[in-house]
Amino acid sequence: MDQVPEQDKETRQERADRNFVELLQGARVAVTGVQVLFAFLLTVPFSQGFERLSAFDRWLFYVALVSAALASICYIAPANQHRVLFRQGLKEKLVRRSNRYGIAGALALIVSMTSATMLVVDFLFDSTLAWGTAGVVAALAAWAWFGQPALDRSGQPGDTADEESAGRHSGGGTGAGV
């Protein structure tokens, strides 16, 4: 007898509830890092040596600070909107919107991490190393967070070890949240 995967037995509302919980769990992971980065950036102008920053480094700091603030807003928005829209029958809309906020938050986080890394490396060493390091950080984050999943979505062959491992752990089916 064929078994129907658990996610196929869900109602639309149950699926929306599950998807929203999964989105919030992902945001909880990211928001902690974003808030630590943001808090650190808020203290930097008050530390010794900040006045020695070049005009370019001050602009880098500005970009890092503002993009960390934007990432915080994007990652916190779904939970706050859920409170405002509680029991309004808009869960599916909230899930779609929360997914967009998560993607925007990740983009803002890439910008913040990259510019903060570039600022520190430029301050400690030189601009050539700073540009190279920032490029590697941005490329790695863009690949890990967007490029690799985009390949998976397009059906391109991926890392077979990952696929085999996922099949073993989930009983051969796809993950419920994917």
Side-chain angles (χ1 to χ4, degrees):
M1 183 179 275
D2 290 335
Q3 289 184 337
V4 178
E6 193 65 34
Q7 65 266 27
D8 291 345
K9 296 178 186 177
E10 294 176 317
T11 67
R12 286 177 62 154
Q13 184 61 40
E14 289 170 336
R15 183 176 303 112
D17 289 343
R18 178 180 51 81
N19 287 338
F20 188 67
V21 167
E22 291 173 359
L23 282 166
L24 286 180
Q25 291 291 27
R28 282 188 186 108
V29 170
V31 78
T32 302
V34 170
Q35 289 177 327
V36 168
L37 175 61
F38 188 44
F40 169 74
L41 288 169
L42 287 171
T43 66
V44 169
F46 305 104
S47 62
Q48 285 185 333
F50 187 79
E51 67 279 350
R52 295 183 309 168
L53 290 181
S54 68
F56 178 75
D57 285 344
R58 287 176 185 260
W59 279 108
L60 272 177
F61 174 77
Y62 174 79
V63 170
L65 179 68
V66 171
S67 56
L70 293 174
S72 293
I73 290 167
C74 289
Y75 282 126
I76 295 169
N80 284 6
Q81 288 193 15
H82 181 258
R83 290 294 90 210
V84 173
L85 297 174
F86 189 65
R87 296 192 185 266
Q88 298 299 305
L90 299 171
K91 184 69 67 85
E92 288 184 54
K93 185 176 192 173
L94 182 60
V95 167
R96 286 189 302 277
R97 184 183 301 152
S98 297
N99 188 58
R100 288 191 298 270
Y101 275 121
I103 291 169
L107 289 169
L109 183 55
I110 288 173
V111 170
S112 185
M113 289 171 48
T114 300
S115 53
T117 300
M118 186 173 180
L119 170 66
V120 172
V121 174
D122 189 46
F123 184 80
L124 294 175
F125 299 105
D126 62 51
S127 61
T128 303
L129 184 58
W131 280 102
T133 303
V136 169
V137 167
L140 182 58
W143 169 252
W145 297 352
F146 296 104
Q148 200 169 35
L151 281 178
D152 291 342
R153 285 182 69 119
S154 69
Q156 296 295 319
D159 182 353
T160 56
D162 285 348
E163 292 168 4
E164 290 170 9
S165 175
R168 271 194 312 273
H169 294 300
S170 66
T174 59
V178 181

